[in-house]
Amino acid sequence: GVLSELRSICGEDNVSVGEAIREQHGRDESVHRCCPPDVVVFPHCVEEVSALAKVCHKHRLPIVPFGTGTGLEGGVSAVKGGVCLSLRKMDQVLDLHQEDFDVTVEPGVTRKALNAYLRDTGLWFPVDPGADASLCGMAATSASGTNAVRYGTMKENVLNLEVVLADGTIIHTAGKGRHPRKTSAGFNLTNLFVGSEGTLGILTKTTLRLYGIPEAIMSAVCSFPTVQAAVDSTVQILQSGVPIARIEFLDDVMIDACNKFSSLSYPVTPTLFLEFHGSERSLQEQVKTTEDITQSNGGSDFQWALDTETRNLLWKARHDAWYAALALRPGCKAYATDVCVPLSRLPQIIVETKQDLIENRVTGPIAGHVGDGNFHCLIVLDPSDPEEVQRVHLFTERLARRALTMAGTCTGEHGGLGKRALLCEEVGHTTMQVMYSLKQMLDPKSLMNPGK
């Protein structure tokens, strides 16, 4: 019945009930256990996605959209079974408008594929989560990364979305084919879907802002005597108005892990990785201000990475932090948790969190997009040790509540399954009711990525 309906839409070869394929689509890179869907389908175009959604709607089957499966929050696990829509075969870059600085892409296009496509245009798309994620998946999870302090997260960079709703209706959140830089027409539907994690609809196209590739780029590493000194420097650099492109914090445990994993030899003390974008002239000014601030906080002289190759090695080491943390304890699993607080509270929360980790014997190297007030503990734990699992669970609750007490959020990037209870504490009961009403209206049968 249902299978033959699905097959008639996207062809025999694009509907799979094989165990291996289902398992592969029931998990991401997180610690959350695999929950395979009942069937995986591979549509080729929005019309097929719409037709598939209609079949699922008619039979009341859950729908879970799948991009690259590189998330860290369990967002793709099919906790109620159903149909996984793997969108990787929809991989066209459409409508590149160079002179307007925007482009539209389908969900199979990843951020690296887009930047490779743009290589000769002098443009790039800067939002860079660690993985080579699908751009529609990045919109769905409101992803960010090391460049967010300068270029914003997905929320600031999506101009329009094509969305298939639960009943198969196709909508364009800003109007079909439209891509103005700003609008005040109607409700902000585009950003209702950015970050909705497949619970309100399936993103089948996203229109993105692009940026000019900077004339000059310089990266530097600076070591500090204490966590406080490193984070104080960050706050001062931003308060002095330096348009820094990346400013990443790694604590001693994290830098040690990165040294070992990426064969580097940085001093094992709290460290900032910095990057400056601009014209040759503006860089000199940015760098001077920054060096003055870091040195007044006891920072070391900058170690520069000026050529592209050295620079890429530096940022690859930062992007590989997840794997570096895992390598600290072979055979263990990693659990990423993150919080975000207003900038002025960042030094306090990182210092307190560091003490908490040491006191409670939790392996949790800290890496942070500190320019946004956002940092992660990449906790490495043995899932078969119930006592350790409990210690980690209590630590993450304390961390989140610490952020909430400081007027922050329980997650800057890693929402998903693990923090549902905290969301209620963060936004309050009445705001939750508004969210429930929106969900109810767009997905009355609760079929879209249920349980999230």
Side-chain angles (χ1 to χ4, degrees):
V2 177
L3 282 178
S4 58
E5 286 184 63
L6 299 175
R7 287 189 180 115
S8 70
I9 293 165
C10 46
E12 204 65 41
D13 296 346
N14 293 302
V15 177
S16 176
V17 289
E19 193 178 339
I21 299 265
R22 286 171 40 232
E23 291 270 322
Q24 190 190 328
H25 289 82
R27 69 164 99 79
D28 54 15
E29 306 244 337
S30 74
V31 76
H32 296 287
R33 69 190 178 85
C34 177
C35 296
D38 299 313
V39 55
V40 181
V41 288
F42 298 89
H44 294 93
C45 59
V46 64
E47 292 75 18
E48 287 186 10
V49 174
S50 168
L52 292 164
K54 285 178 179 148
V55 171
C56 294
H57 197 251
K58 182 174 79 182
H59 295 284
R60 289 188 171 260
L61 297 171
I63 300 170
V64 184
F66 189 98
T68 53
T70 49
L72 297 173
E73 292 85 55
V76 295
S77 63
V79 289
K80 304 237 162 103
V83 180
C84 170
L85 267 61
S86 176
L87 300 162
R88 66 161 188 247
K89 292 191 175 180
M90 295 171 62
D91 60 357
Q92 298 300 301
V93 176
L94 312 157
D95 305 325
L96 167 61
H97 299 115
Q98 271 178 251
E99 54 295 339
D100 297 327
F101 287 74
D102 65 61
V103 68
T104 300
V105 299
E106 292 186 328
V109 180
T110 65
R111 66 180 183 88
K112 289 182 183 171
L114 175 60
N115 282 324
Y117 180 93
L118 294 171
R119 199 175 293 130
D120 301 329
T121 63
L123 300 173
W124 71 309
F125 184 69
V127 184
D128 64 327
D132 186 19
S134 148
L135 290 154
C136 284
M138 285 165 58
T141 54
S142 197
S144 52
T146 62
N147 285 310
V149 59
R150 171 79 174 262
Y151 300 97
T153 69
M154 287 305 277
K155 205 160 47 257
E156 289 78 31
N157 288 296
V158 175
L159 299 172
N160 199 347
L161 290 166
E162 178 183 77
V163 184
V164 176
L165 299 178
D167 63 0
T169 309
I170 302 171
I171 65 165
H172 295 84
T173 56
K176 189 167 179 157
R178 301 193 186 283
H179 53 109
R181 303 290 286 184
K182 64 182 187 188
T183 169
S184 66
F187 294 149
N188 185 349
L189 287 185
T190 303
N191 273 342
L192 174 61
F193 287 95
V194 172
S196 62
E197 300 192 351
T199 59
L200 301 178
I202 304 149
L203 310 186
T204 51
K205 289 189 184 74
T206 175
T207 301
L208 302 168
R209 269 172 200 263
L210 300 174
Y211 294 80
I213 293 174
E215 176 194 319
I217 299 180
M218 293 168 81
S219 296
V221 178
C222 186
S223 313
F224 290 86
T226 62
V227 169
Q228 183 90 36
V231 188
D232 282 347
S233 293
T234 304
V235 175
Q236 291 162 23
I237 289 163
L238 289 156
Q239 286 172 343
S240 70
V242 174
I244 200 149
R246 292 167 153 174
I247 181 159
E248 294 287 309
F249 169 76
L250 294 89
D251 75 351
D252 52 342
V253 185
M254 189 76 255
I255 200 89
D256 188 39
C258 287
N259 275 345
K260 289 176 177 141
F261 186 79
S262 302
S263 316
L264 300 168
S265 52
Y266 292 111
V268 180
T269 64
T271 301
L272 290 179
F273 283 13
L274 310 117
E275 188 164 276
F276 305 89
H277 293 180
S279 63
E280 297 285 359
R281 194 116 171 239
S282 74
L283 286 196
Q284 288 171 358
E285 198 182 328
Q286 292 179 37
V287 166
K288 174 147 187 17
T289 309
T290 306
E291 286 200 294
D292 289 348
I293 291 168
T294 53
Q295 290 182 344
S296 71
N297 284 292
S300 67
D301 286 344
F302 283 4
Q303 288 192 38
W304 289 103
L306 298 175
D307 60 287
T308 312
E309 199 179 341
T310 323
R311 212 172 57 235
N312 288 346
L313 279 175
L314 171 68
W315 292 106
K316 185 176 179 348
R318 169 62 187 88
H319 274 317
D320 286 344
W322 172 256
Y323 303 104
L326 267 175
L328 285 175
R329 291 177 66 185
C332 284
K333 280 261 191 263
Y335 172 66
T337 185
D338 81 312
V339 294
C340 191
V341 295
L343 207 55
S344 60
R345 309 301 296 271
L346 193 64
Q348 184 191 351
I349 193 170
I350 292 188
V351 168
E352 287 178 16
T353 301
K354 187 91 176 122
Q355 284 167 332
D356 190 343
L357 286 163
I358 293 166
E359 278 165 28
N360 292 286
R361 309 190 320 284
V362 173
T363 309
I366 295 176
H369 311 308
V370 281
D372 302 311
N374 179 204
F375 72 94
H376 307 257
C377 289
L378 305 180
I379 299 167
V380 190
L381 74 162
D382 175 358
S384 63
D385 175 353
E387 194 269 333
E388 184 176 16
V389 170
Q390 179 62 6
R391 270 206 328 270
V392 166
H393 174 70
L394 293 172
F395 164 78
T396 57
E397 296 270 301
R398 284 193 303 276
L399 173 60
R401 297 216 162 89
R402 198 174 288 136
L404 293 181
T405 318
M406 295 185 188
T409 169
C410 68
T411 174
E413 295 182 345
H414 295 276
L417 280 176
K419 295 191 177 171
R420 292 178 56 182
L422 290 158
L423 177 62
C424 309
E425 288 179 38
E426 182 167 319
V427 299
H429 176 71
T430 43
T431 303
M432 287 301 288
Q433 289 310 120
V434 174
M435 293 193 199
Y436 284 126
S437 308
L438 284 165
K439 167 77 170 165
Q440 181 61 32
M441 189 213 46
L442 288 168
D443 181 18
K445 297 184 181 179
S446 264
L447 301 178
M448 298 301 310
N449 206 4
K452 310 295 167 59

